[in-house]
Amino acid sequence: GYTIDDALDNLQQQIADPRTLIHLRIVVISEAIARRGLRDLNDYFRRETQVRRTTWLLVSDVEAARLMDVAPPLERVPALYLLAMIEKSHQMGKFPTDYIGKFWSAESKLGQDGYLPYVSIRQKENILLKGMAYFNEDKMVGYTTPIQIGVYMGIMGLNPGGYSALFDVPGVGVVMVNTLKRSSRVKVKINDGIPHAEIDIQLEATMKEKIGEAGSFDSQAKLHEVERVFEQEVKKNAIQLIKETQLKKSDVFGFGEKIRAHERSFWNRNIKSEKDWENLYAKLTADVHVHVDLRRFGLVAQNKSE
């Protein structure tokens, strides 16, 4: 159909029972449609009283219909597999709670933009959570890598933790650290007419693995070195993610809403429309501070001579 309503009317001609959207759980749109704009689609679903606000809205990097041809070996119905995949990703800390209602709420705010899960097909059998698609007004303008989803959740202090990072620690070797819990605090202020954000990220983590025989954990100092290097990695990726969204003028963090709340006089003088904040967000400066606590780590093997 030319519109959602037209397509559903055509579908009704092919089925005996009255169509209903009350059981709708997930909607997939292609990247091409998302980049063109979701205004008409959002308008239809928001007006349709049968559509629940807890429905998931996903963006696919291929034609959306191709996801119905995915044949996972352990699942019978592709739609249920897709729904289970995204819901369990949320439960495991791989993606924030971002139902269609929350997306609409973010898109309605003057100081915040929305985001959606960004998925892809792998080997015609599985669906990959490829990243997070972020928007400017109602148009998709970019997407993150999978690990940047964890960085975003760190900045926002969203739980549970679930992402692991693999990095090299001098004097220790290559280690893998898994985030268990996140918390954050964001303060905003105005410096010479430019918004500035102070971001404090607190992470509780566990060291899952150490690769290679070089180095050892024979002192508390080396554990602190792992924490220090992990803090640097998180800070670097957080700054990079903020800069990427600034280039696209997509404030998925809601910094604008914090300025609107805490710097009301500045906001009223300078922000008259959503476009005004988008242009100002591109100039925002940010300082990121990260503190990591390694709560536990794996067993250490020791060779004992006979």
Side-chain angles (χ1 to χ4, degrees), residues 116-241:
L116 295 172
Y118 185 59
V119 298
S120 182
I121 298 175
R122 284 293 177 268
Q123 300 177 349
K124 298 182 180 180
E125 291 185 346
N126 294 293
I127 296 172
L128 169 72
L129 181 57
K130 192 175 180 180
M132 184 174 75
Y134 49 87
F135 288 71
N136 178 305
E137 295 183 354
D138 66 326
K139 296 180 180 178
M140 176 181 169
V141 292
Y143 62 91
T144 71
T145 62
I147 195 64
Q148 285 179 320
I149 301 175
V151 174
Y152 171 81
M153 295 178 73
I155 294 174
M156 302 300 291
L158 301 175
N159 286 298
Y163 277 92
S164 298
L166 186 70
F167 53 92
D168 187 18
V169 180
V172 175
V174 178
V175 299
M176 177 175 285
V177 174
N178 181 56
T179 303
L180 299 174
K181 186 178 179 181
R182 313 178 183 98
S183 63
S184 70
R185 182 175 60 183
V186 179
K187 293 183 178 180
V188 294
K189 59 183 179 179
I190 309 300
N191 292 336
D192 298 326
I194 302 297
H196 177 78
E198 289 280 345
I199 306 167
D200 291 304
I201 303 173
Q202 302 273 342
L203 300 177
E204 293 184 15
T206 177
M207 197 169 70
K208 295 178 63 178
E209 187 177 13
K210 175 184 174 297
I211 301 174
E213 297 181 358
S216 62
F217 290 102
D218 54 3
S219 68
Q220 191 73 16
K222 289 190 176 181
L223 288 176
H224 290 321
E225 181 67 9
V226 174
E227 293 175 337
R228 185 188 67 82
V229 175
F230 188 39
E231 288 170 354
Q232 290 180 341
E233 289 292 320
V234 174
K235 179 178 179 179
K236 179 181 70 175
N237 283 280
I239 292 173
Q240 180 181 349
L241 179 59

Side-chain angles (χ1 to χ4, degrees), residues 244-294:
E244 288 177 4
T245 59
Q246 284 183 293
L247 288 175
K248 303 295 185 178
K249 298 182 179 181
S250 176
D251 181 11
V252 292
F253 307 99
F255 293 141
E257 287 300 296
K258 290 187 176 296
I259 292 175
R260 185 182 181 189
H262 299 287
E263 299 288 346
R264 190 68 183 179
S265 59
F266 172 85
W267 181 274
N268 289 338
R269 288 196 309 269
N270 296 276
I271 310 299
K272 305 300 180 183
S273 67
E274 194 169 352
K275 281 290 184 183
D276 292 335
W277 170 244
E278 290 169 1
N279 294 329
L280 201 55
Y281 175 63
K283 302 176 183 178
L284 175 139
T285 58
D287 288 330
V288 179
H289 310 281
V290 183
H291 179 72
V292 174
D293 284 323
L294 277 178

Side-chain angles (χ1 to χ4, degrees), residues 48-67:
E48 177 55 67
T49 56
Q50 291 182 338
V51 175
R52 302 181 184 185
R53 295 316 189 245
T54 53
T55 301
W56 284 96
L57 182 61
L58 275 61
V59 179
S60 168
D61 66 348
V62 297
E63 184 181 14
R66 289 179 55 187
L67 272 73

Side-chain angles (χ1 to χ4, degrees), residues 42 46 52-57 90 95-109 112-117 152 156 158-159 252:
N42 284 336
R46 292 180 84 162
R52 302 181 184 185
R53 295 316 189 245
T54 53
T55 301
W56 284 96
L57 182 61
H90 160 61
F95 201 86
T97 306
D98 188 48
Y99 301 121
I100 195 170
K102 295 195 70 173
F103 174 70
W104 290 339
S105 177
E107 284 294 298
S108 299
K109 296 175 182 177
Q112 188 172 2
D113 291 289
Y115 61 89
L116 295 172
Y152 171 81
M156 302 300 291
L158 301 175
N159 286 298
V252 292

